[in-house]
Amino acid sequence: MNLSNLLNKKFILFDGAMGSMIQKENINTLPELLNLENPNLIRSIHKKYIEAGADIITTNTFGANNHKLKKYNVDSDLIIKNAIEIAKSVQKNNLIALDIGPIGRMIEPMGKMTFDESYEFFKKQVIAGEKYGADLILFETFSDIYELKSGILSAKENTKLPIFATMTFSDDKRTFTGTDIKTMISVLEGLNVNALGINCSLGPDKMGSLVDKLVKYSSTPIIVQANAGLPDYKNGNTIYNINSNEYNEHTKKLMNKGIQIIGGCCGTTDEYIRKLNNSRKQIPFKPVFDKNYSFISSYSKTYDVSKNIHIIGERINPTGKKKLRQAIIEENMEYITNLALKQKEEGAEILDVNMGVPKIDENKLMIKSIKEIQKLIDIPLQIDSTNIEVIDNGLRYYNGKAIINSVNGKKNSMEEIFPVIKKYGAMVICLTLNEDGIPETMEKRLQIAKNIENTALKYGISKKDLIFDFLVLAVSAQQNELYNTLSTLSYVKNTYNYNTTLGVSNVSFGLPNRKILNRTFLAMALQAGLNLPIINTSSQDMMDTINSYKVLANIDKDCKKYISIYSEQKEEELKNETLEYCIENGLKEKTKIITIEKLKNTDPLEIINNILIPTLNKVGDKYEKEIIFLPQLIQSAETAKIVFKEIKNKLPDLDSSNKKDKIILATVEGDIHDIGKNIVKVILENYGYEIIDLGKDVACNKIIEKIQDSKAKIVGLSALMTTTLINMENTVKEIRKKFDDIKIIIGGAVVTKTFANSIGADFYAKDAREALKYLEKVPLN
């Protein structure tokens, strides 16, 4: 069987769950070890799925990375080798997918694992997969788009295998770290995966709206592998609430919507796959087709820049800015991130980032700035450099799909830039100049634009990822040429519907009262078809012009945004000088300075009760309302720790007197995933709880010993894998036998409220905020 003969030509059928089939045999061990310890069992599972009609079977390697295997003193290479050999031993007319799941550690900025460390874990896996004969790679069940990007790059750079990638979404239509469907599509299509989609977490009955968006926005074949509903745990068995008939009926509806690849995730078995195999023969196949969306993204926010007007903030560019130049030289990241935050507050939707200062390591500073800005804000970035190495690394470490500034019509410029754009996925600003300089006439500028477009197409880059800049010249020196810029802009917008940008303020160089010229030229350019103006967002004149234009051009429907901005005089405050603002936005250095100053004349408890806790509550509310997402939540929590530390330094006794209850946290035995537990720890510590973190893969007797030693009254248990739910149940039962008054909170991706009730836990917390709400009202004796 050849993948190219299947992909986007007929329904492709994957197999179902591996873990669920293993659990039916009442085996409680790390599934990947069975490739060595019980290969016949894995062989029999593959055989059942092949007989059920699966076109592609996935290897038993979901957790076969050396982080997860370290405890067992087994190398991932051996596990993968055996897994592929087992699959090959029963292979018929089907393909073998190397199955790769998340590493099990939080990647920066939410955790300590770097992007490069993540890449190396995946690199080892994908090389082994190709070496031992896998036909393709399936990255599945990812919740962090940044970790998934590191995996996809490792596969692209070290193998020639096709790549399928799926993420797992919650009821709120986002992943655990805040990525939505449009953002996933934007990033994964930019990385040129062969298929993309969703798996796990939800049953097929809950995936309809997600699939609608996949079909609407994706130009890449779509894969959907749902769970068999929600898991429950009864009499030592994990039971899912959607049977094979129900699963089949719900999945048929998804197939009719226009997906191309189907299969099953947790709870599904060969019975489910057999019914899907029969159903796919009865449903008309709909191939995916190209969609004309010009997407740019952060990790959580995506714009189609061809729609509406999107403002690019220009101020993180050291040209003519002495303070910024010095901040870059000194690597003063707080100054740079402050500029980013201010521009977002002023209305910027995209931020230009330029580190072009002579005699510095521009490459290092670009990477560092991107990472620091991404910690605090969630709007897309424009990576601005004349150095191809800087552009390459900026795109590599950027968490999203960026804009690159820029390429031009010179042959060497296009040969240098376009391969990088194709590799990572980005939009690119195209300057209409070439070896002969900037043309004086509209016709010559158009010739350059069409040459850039045609050359981009040869590299596999679509017109929708090009943004044309017809170049703003200083009207003081080149008045006629400036008019040609506007004429060209208007013509191409109406004729070719190009995305367009201009550095608006260039128009007024050399003339007095520049702001009058800038705002008038901006209005003219907007009317001509400018949709990505690069401006100084601190200029109220410029922002007023754009806000007014959106009303007059019928873009701001019912004048809603205009009214919200101008209907009443807003209270002004120097937000960047308040402790609340600094905590909320993760400004650590400024937080320390302000806290030390406040402690000179403010009671420490007043700071905690009147500033710190209300600010954390505000941040938590924003998180619940999806105004901010996990990275910002963690940065705020980490920044709040600085306040506590300075208070403790001044009044050491306050730390112990202000501590709330002791809480023991642990990921249960057999489970090495501690992402959720670590987030709970960070949040609860900021509310004064004393956290005793026992780590991951913690045996029941160790938890009981710590309860006895610490006299803690609260225990929080976490599990991500269905195979470890039995360990969670046993742990709860053993704790109950020995301690009558203990409060037990449980959580994790596979845990439900029903399961919590069935095993006798006191509370099910879906996230850290829910745990906090429970703790604030629970009576402890």
Side-chain angles (χ1 to χ4, degrees), residues 674-709:
D674 59 357
I675 293 174
K677 173 186 67 64
N678 291 341
I679 295 167
V680 171
K681 176 185 176 181
V682 170
I683 301 302
L684 295 186
E685 281 179 338
N686 278 299
Y687 281 84
Y689 291 96
E690 181 180 345
I691 303 300
I692 303 168
D693 185 2
L694 299 184
K696 57 199 174 189
D697 192 14
V698 183
C700 178
N701 62 337
K702 185 176 179 180
I703 297 171
I704 289 172
E705 287 173 5
K706 185 55 67 173
I707 295 171
Q708 291 170 332
D709 295 342

Side-chain angles (χ1 to χ4, degrees), residues 262-365:
I262 52 174
C265 203
C266 301
T268 61
T269 64
D270 55 315
E271 179 184 350
Y272 288 70
I273 301 306
R274 183 171 289 103
K275 288 178 180 175
L276 289 182
N277 184 38
N278 292 328
S279 293
R280 66 170 168 164
K281 300 170 186 175
Q282 305 162 14
I283 297 174
F285 177 76
K286 300 176 184 177
V288 73
F289 59 91
D290 285 342
K291 315 297 195 308
N292 194 32
Y293 295 104
S294 296
F295 283 149
I296 59 164
S297 312
S298 66
Y299 70 91
S300 66
K301 183 170 292 187
T302 292
Y303 302 129
D304 176 5
V305 298
S306 66
K307 306 292 191 297
N308 209 325
I309 295 163
H310 296 281
I311 300 168
I312 302 175
E314 68 180 11
R315 299 218 304 280
I316 307 179
N317 185 324
T319 305
K321 303 182 183 75
K322 291 182 179 179
K323 288 185 178 180
L324 178 57
R325 285 170 65 89
Q326 193 59 34
I328 292 171
I329 291 168
E330 295 173 355
E331 299 189 23
N332 183 349
M333 289 297 114
E334 188 138 319
Y335 184 90
I336 293 167
T337 53
N338 254 318
L339 271 180
L341 286 165
K342 286 176 183 176
Q343 289 181 94
K344 180 185 176 182
E345 289 170 357
E346 291 160 355
E349 296 159 289
I350 304 157
L351 296 181
D352 185 83
V353 180
N354 184 310
M355 296 288 116
V357 175
K359 297 181 180 180
I360 66 157
D361 187 341
E362 185 186 355
N363 193 51
K364 171 189 169 186
L365 266 293

Side-chain angles (χ1 to χ4, degrees), residues 202-271:
L202 302 173
D205 56 325
K206 300 288 182 64
M207 284 186 169
S209 60
L210 290 171
V211 169
D212 287 339
K213 289 185 177 180
L214 280 167
V215 172
K216 180 178 180 180
Y217 296 115
S218 179
S219 304
T220 301
I222 298 164
I223 177 172
V224 175
Q225 292 178 289
N227 279 358
L230 295 172
D232 197 3
Y233 193 75
K234 295 179 180 179
N235 302 320
N237 296 309
T238 304
I239 300 171
Y240 288 81
N241 64 358
I242 294 180
N243 63 38
S244 60
N245 288 327
E246 295 166 333
Y247 188 94
N248 186 49
E249 290 303 313
H250 289 303
T251 305
K252 282 163 63 177
K253 293 177 183 177
L254 302 182
M255 293 164 71
N256 277 308
K257 287 177 181 286
I259 64 177
Q260 290 75 41
I261 307 165
I262 52 174
C265 203
C266 301
T268 61
T269 64
D270 55 315
E271 179 184 350

Side-chain angles (χ1 to χ4, degrees), residues 626-642:
E626 298 184 11
I627 298 170
I628 64 171
F629 299 98
L630 193 57
Q632 295 108 305
L633 178 70
I634 291 176
Q635 288 304 312
S636 293
E638 293 288 354
T639 304
K641 284 184 177 181
I642 293 170

